[in-house]
């Protein structure tokens, strides 16, 4: 039974794209201020229990059917005091607010200050609650209600969406809402990326859980403002150096009014901002700025996705990668496939795995399916298109009579000794190198030569797939 793996563990691979940040910036610094106060779990909000997440009370548990005065007043601090400290410190910088819609509704003065500062206000959902067990139709309704309430409170619909305490349905539902320029419920990268859904694509601008003041509220995290400053500074310094070396990234920083708004933590943030602003080539941006830049510089391009082909199409396209052995492609398709197999390296690795897992007779059959180099099939023009191109690349289609006689002599001796044709990835060699290898390997014992031939089959597959998926 076929299995399709939903997660993309490859991403951009070894060589991510150059984001080409404005002004050739070495790094894009993106600050998020989460505004959740007034949107958290509370009996007064119609919930079954009090809030227990991201507060000063380590190990807090919900109080079923009861209000929790300390918990509520911690959240109140974020709105009454912490927000204004953050506003004074950040009002001259581009900032994205993740605003819970019901929290924004209860904070008109803070919303006015956000708008006055020119901050982007993205939606943080309708409520600051855990959506992991919420049915998708209810979560979809909450997203729609959040967008509408956000529009009523701020004057315009949100262009970005971060649920935060999300479900496995959140990204899909965000795509299907249809009006978001980016989604941020991902921690998968340091650059934006396109998420394909239902024949189209949605831009993802990933967020962070590490450069985030939420770690002040966890058992393993930041204990002091110095811890926070050191971590932010070290993260920035490494990313800045990578950007200077030609690989710019995005650095996201997550703040909460009730956490980073406390004086000892706010001082650490101020020290960090001073550090960043002492460097040239830093682009401070909102998440919407980054999304729009990425969409303009790196628009979504549909590409060949082997993992999404039907079986007949996949075997038709890749059944000849291993010479006259379509069963390898068939077994690849029948097994687990995912985004990692949509690259030449990934698909070659899986095909090699299937070949190596096959029985001895099957592997020997693959070897024997290969033609002699510059042999009778080549002269009769009966090679596969791949073999014809490969042999031509090394000049084996233009041999002198003496060269052809020598190839035939060594080919015949090799088959007589080992029981299968001489196999080599000819694209890795020239004509002289191929002949030298033939003479050397002719004298190997058959066990050694069998192993060598099988690895050359794998190498030929790699080279063919690099061409097919270029």
């Amino acid at each position: 039974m076929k299995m399709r793996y939903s997660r993309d563990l490859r991403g951009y691979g070894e060589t991510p794209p150059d984001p080409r940040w404005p002004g050739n910036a070495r790094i894009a610094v993106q600050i998020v201020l989460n505004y959740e106060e007034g949107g958290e779990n509370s009996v007064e909000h119609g919930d079954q229990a009090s809030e227990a997440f991201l507060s000063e009370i380590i190990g807090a548990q919900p109080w079923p059917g009861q209000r929790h005065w300390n918990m509520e007043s911690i959240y109140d601090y974020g709105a009454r005091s912490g927000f204004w400290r953050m506003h004074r410190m950040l009002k001259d910088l581009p900032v994205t607010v993740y605003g819970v819609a019901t929290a924004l509704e209860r904070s008109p003065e803070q919303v006015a200050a956000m708008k006055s500062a020119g901050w982007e206000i993205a939606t943080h959902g309708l409520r600051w609650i855990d959506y992991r067990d919420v049915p998708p139709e209810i979560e979809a309704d909450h997203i729609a209600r959040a967008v509408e309430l956000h529009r009523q409170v701020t004057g315009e619909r949100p262009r970005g969406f971060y649920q935060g305490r999300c479900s496995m349905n959140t990204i899909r539902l965000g795509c299907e809402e249809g009006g978001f320029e980016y989604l941020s419920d991902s921690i998968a990268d340091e650059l934006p990326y396109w998420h394909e859904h239902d024949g189209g694509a949605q831009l993802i601008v990933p967020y962070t859980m590490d450069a985030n003041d939420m770690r002040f509220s966890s058992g393993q995290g930041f204990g002091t403002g110095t811890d926070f400053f050191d971590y932010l500074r070290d993260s920035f310094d490494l990313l800045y150096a990578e950007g200077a070396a030609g690989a710019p990234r995005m650095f996201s920083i997550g703040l909460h009014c009730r956490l980073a708004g406390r004086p000892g933590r706010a001082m650490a943030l101020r020290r960090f901002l001073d550090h960043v602003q002492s460097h040239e080539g830093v682009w401070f941006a909102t998440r919407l700025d980054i999304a729009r830049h990425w969409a303009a510089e790196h628009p979504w391009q549909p590409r060949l996705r082997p993992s999404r082909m039907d079986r007949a199409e996949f075997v038709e396209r890749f059944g000849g990668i291993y010479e006259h052995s379509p069963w390898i492609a068939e077994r690849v398709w029948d097994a687990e496939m995912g985004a990692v197999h949509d690259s030449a390296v990934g698909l070659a690795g899986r095909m090699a795995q299937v070949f190596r897992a096959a029985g001895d007779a099957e592997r020997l059959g693959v070897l024997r399916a290969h033609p002699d180099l510059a042999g009778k099939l080549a002269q009769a023009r009966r090679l596969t298109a791949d073999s014809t191109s490969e042999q031509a690349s090394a000049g084996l289609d233009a041999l002198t009579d003496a060269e052809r006689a020598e190839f035939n002599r060594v080919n015949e001796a090799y088959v007589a000794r080992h029981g299968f044709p001489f196999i080599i990835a000819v694209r890795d060699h020239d004509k002289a190198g191929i002949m030298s290898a033939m003479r050397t390997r002719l004298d190997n014992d058959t066990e050694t030569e069998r192993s060598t031939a099988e690895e050359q089959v794998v190498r030929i597959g790699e080279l063919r797939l690099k061409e097919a998926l270029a």
Side-chain angles (χ1 to χ4, degrees), residues 410-432:
V410 179
N411 274 329
E412 291 172 1
Y414 184 95
V415 173
R417 178 173 174 83
H418 300 299
F420 49 85
F422 174 81
I423 300 171
I424 193 170
V426 295
R427 291 192 187 277
D428 289 333
H429 304 275
D430 59 16
K431 182 169 57 178

Side-chain angles (χ1 to χ4, degrees), residues 302-318:
R303 61 189 178 89
L304 185 66
R305 297 290 295 270
S307 67
R308 297 187 181 182
M309 292 179 176
D310 63 35
R311 195 173 194 268
E313 181 186 8
F314 182 84
V315 175
E316 171 67 24
R317 185 176 287 264
F318 300 109

